[in-house]
Amino acid sequence: MERVANKARGFDAARAWEIAQYAAMTPDERRKVARQLRDRVYGTNCPDVRDAVAGLKRRRR
């Protein structure tokens, strides 16, 4: 993905430019960006929440 900069003169112009950038992306590009952000925030070795909840229900019985 090529980095592009935009210097907006207001919040409305900045938001409109951001929406136009997201609209120009393909679905695969959006998935790639979402995965990179998720890995950056939560890490790559993160347990699945559904597994943790299922384990708690089994222990209570």
Side-chain angles (χ1 to χ4, degrees):
M1 183 181 307
E2 181 181 337
R3 291 183 182 225
V4 179
N6 179 40
K7 189 171 183 181
R9 294 184 180 252
F11 291 110
D12 293 334
R15 182 68 179 150
W17 185 80
E18 184 180 16
I19 290 171
Q21 289 297 307
Y22 286 133
M25 294 171 74
T26 64
D28 289 334
E29 288 175 332
R30 285 189 215 115
R31 285 187 205 106
K32 183 179 175 184
V33 170
R35 180 180 211 82
Q36 289 174 349
L37 289 173
R38 186 178 65 229
D39 290 347
R40 186 184 308 168
V41 172
Y42 298 111
T44 56
N45 189 12
C46 183
D48 191 2
V49 174
R50 295 170 290 190
D51 292 340
V53 172
L56 290 175
K57 287 183 180 177
R58 278 186 245 138
R59 284 188 211 134
R60 288 182 184 166
R61 289 185 180 175

